[in-house]
Amino acid sequence: MNTDEKWRRQFEQLAHTLEDRPRLRSRVMEQIEERCEQQTRVVEPRRPAKLMRRHVVRAAAVSLSLAAVLLAVFILPGFSKSAFAQVQAALRKIQTAVITREFPDQPGVNVRLLVSSRHDLYRMEWNDGAITIQSREGRNLTLNSKEKLAQMTPGAGFGLEGERLAPSDFLDGLQKVKADAVRVLGKKKFGGRELDGFELPPERGMRRRVWVDPDSHLPVREEITPAVAKQPNDDPRVATLRPPRSTVTYEFNVDLTDELFSLDPPVGYVLVDASDFKWPGRELPKLPDDLDAASYVLIPGQGIGLARFGMSKQEVTAVLGKPNELNLIGERSEERKNTEEEIARKAKEENWDNFRVNRERKRVMNQSQSLVRTSEALMYQSLGFHVVVRDDTGLEEIMCWPKSSAFQQFVGATDLGVSMNSSPADVKRVYGEPTEAVESENSQSLYYGKL
C-alpha cells in the first residue's frame, strides 16, 4: 500500500466519524490548521539550507493539501446534510410554536401565529388587537380584544392543495425539505447572537433563508423574499396579490393553553353580527369640521364636485383632496377567469357547500398572477364615498355610501337634490321610471341606463 492511499483511507474514516459531530469537526479542523502553521516553522539546522527549505515547503504543502482534501472532499459535502438533519430532528420534538411574521413593506399586516400540535386550528393575532381563530372547515371566530366583541363568519379553510397551510405544516414543514438540496450559508450575528444559516430550495416563488441556534438546532429567524425581484408598483403588469417579502421569528415549546384555540367566544365577549362588529385599529374617520356638502354635488355622466370622469389620479386628488386610504384594484387574469368558471361548473354539478366554494376561490386567489393591477380606489371614508381611477382611462366610477362601519354617510346630493335620505318614490319623482328595478327582502335597486 502506498503512503497516499494509506492517508486517504484514514481521512475517509475520520470524515465518517465527524459527519454528525459538528463541534468535534470544528476542533479537528482547528488542529489541522495549527499543525500546518507549526510545520511551516520547522527548523533543522544540521541539514543544508537548500534541502531544509525544500523539506519545509513540502511538509507545509502536504499538510495544507490534506487539510483542503479533508475539508472540501469529505467534510463539506456532508455538512449541509448532517447539520440540517439536526434541525429537522430538533423540530420533531416541538409541541407548540409562536411564529411572528413581519412585512417590512406592509407593517400594518404584521401578525403572530400560534400553533399547537394538539389543535387543528389557527390563532392569528394582529398588533391592532384583532384576533382570528380559523378552523379547517372554514369557520372563523374574529375577536376585537379592545372592545370585547366577537363575530363568527365563514372563511376559506385550509389544508387542501393550493390553500393556506395547515397549522401542523408549520411544525413539520422544514422536515419535508430534502437536506441534500439545502445550501450552507455560514454564521451570521443577529442582535449579538451568532446563528447558523441555511438556504432552502425556493417554494411558491419565494426564496427562504433559515437561521438556526447552534446549540438547540432550532430555527430562530427566517427571511422570505421573492425569487424574482418585484416590478415597480406603478407598472400595470404587477400582480396585486404577489407575496411580499417578510421576516419570521420563531419561539418553540411556549406554554399555550387550550382556551386560546377555541371557537367559542371568550368569557366577557359579546357575539355580534358582522354589521355591528368593529375592527380594532380601523376606526371610522370623522366628518371634517369644515365640510361643505355643496362641494360634493353628483352630476350624472360628469362626476362629483369638481372631479370629472377621465381625470387622472393627480387631477382628482387636486380637487377632492387627499383620500383617507388607497386600495389597489386588479382585473382577473384569463387564467383566473377560466378557473373560476370551472369552479362554478363543479360546484353546481357536485352540489358543493359554501365552505367548499370559498376554499376553491381562495386557492385561485393565492395564485401569484390571479389579479393584474388596473386601477386604484381612492377611499374618502370621512366624506362617505369612494372613486375608482383606472391607470389608462382615469376616473371611471363614483360610489356613495350610507353610514356603516367603513364609511360616514354621504352628505352630498345629486344636482336634482336626490340624497341618501331620499325614498324610491322620491327618486322616481325626479328621474322618472327606471330602466330596471330589482327588489329584495330589505332593499330596492333602481337602474337608469341613460344616466
Side-chain angles (χ1 to χ4, degrees), residues 68-141:
V69 168
L70 177 62
L71 180 65
V73 178
F74 300 117
I75 295 181
L76 282 183
F79 176 72
S80 63
K81 180 178 179 181
S82 62
F84 195 73
Q86 290 179 310
V87 176
Q88 294 174 314
L91 284 168
R92 284 194 286 271
K93 302 175 183 178
I94 295 303
Q95 296 299 314
T96 64
V98 176
I99 305 169
T100 303
R101 191 167 186 180
E102 298 179 328
F103 299 85
D105 303 320
Q106 303 175 22
V109 296
N110 292 348
V111 64
R112 285 204 325 160
L113 174 65
L114 277 60
V115 179
S116 171
S117 60
R118 301 192 307 274
H119 303 92
D120 197 18
L121 294 167
Y122 275 104
R123 182 184 176 92
M124 291 170 282
E125 301 178 348
W126 282 268
N127 293 340
D128 59 11
I131 299 170
T132 298
I133 303 168
Q134 186 182 66
S135 72
R136 181 182 294 276
E137 296 76 20
R139 295 177 64 208
N140 287 347
L141 175 66

Side-chain angles (χ1 to χ4, degrees), residues 220-262:
V220 175
R221 174 187 176 92
E222 183 173 354
E223 297 163 347
I224 304 173
T225 55
V228 178
K230 283 190 175 183
Q231 295 169 307
N233 225 17
D234 57 355
D235 190 319
R237 296 171 297 172
V238 174
T240 59
L241 295 183
R242 179 175 294 174
R245 63 189 179 114
S246 61
T247 300
V248 180
T249 54
Y250 294 94
E251 300 174 78
F252 293 106
N253 290 331
V254 180
D255 184 19
L256 301 178
T257 63
D258 292 340
E259 288 76 13
L260 294 172
F261 298 93
S262 172

Side-chain angles (χ1 to χ4, degrees), residues 198-337:
F198 301 91
E199 181 162 348
L200 279 54
E203 181 179 328
R204 296 186 179 186
M206 303 299 284
R207 183 175 63 184
R208 303 170 62 194
R209 292 185 171 185
V210 177
W211 299 93
V212 176
D213 182 271
D215 296 321
S216 68
H217 306 299
L218 288 172
V220 175
R221 174 187 176 92
E222 183 173 354
E223 297 163 347
I224 304 173
T225 55
V228 178
K230 283 190 175 183
Q231 295 169 307
N233 225 17
D234 57 355
D235 190 319
R237 296 171 297 172
V238 174
T240 59
L241 295 183
R242 179 175 294 174
R245 63 189 179 114
S246 61
T247 300
V248 180
T249 54
Y250 294 94
E251 300 174 78
F252 293 106
N253 290 331
V254 180
D255 184 19
L256 301 178
T257 63
D258 292 340
E259 288 76 13
L260 294 172
F261 298 93
S262 172
L263 286 172
D264 296 325
V267 176
Y269 279 72
V270 178
L271 186 64
V272 298
D273 294 333
S275 58
D276 296 322
F277 185 82
K278 298 178 182 179
W279 283 89
R282 304 181 193 177
E283 288 76 14
L284 188 61
K286 296 180 180 179
L287 285 167
D289 295 332
D290 57 349
L291 175 64
D292 180 9
S295 300
Y296 303 100
V297 174
L298 283 164
I299 305 176
Q302 294 188 34
I304 180 172
L306 297 178
R308 293 292 179 262
F309 290 115
M311 279 186 172
S312 67
K313 173 185 172 182
Q314 290 74 18
E315 292 172 329
V316 171
T317 56
V319 295
L320 294 181
K322 183 179 178 181
N324 300 114
E325 187 177 308
L326 289 172
N327 291 332
L328 292 180
I329 298 177
E331 187 175 86
R332 293 183 302 164
S333 65
E334 287 300 318
E335 179 184 2
R336 178 175 173 182
K337 291 177 184 177

Side-chain angles (χ1 to χ4, degrees), residues 391-403:
D391 297 334
D392 50 1
T393 59
L395 177 60
E396 69 162 13
E397 179 183 328
I398 302 166
M399 179 71 74
C400 302
W401 295 89
K403 179 66 178 291

Side-chain angles (χ1 to χ4, degrees), residues 6 10 59-61 66 107 110 114 187 251 258 311-313 318 321 342 345-346 365 400 417-418 424 427 435:
K6 178 181 177 181
Q10 290 186 7
L66 290 175
N110 292 348
L114 277 60
K187 296 184 179 293
E251 300 174 78
D258 292 340
M311 279 186 172
S312 67
K313 173 185 172 182
E342 180 68 11
R345 183 186 65 78
K346 286 186 176 181
M365 291 183 66
C400 302
V418 172
V427 176
T435 306

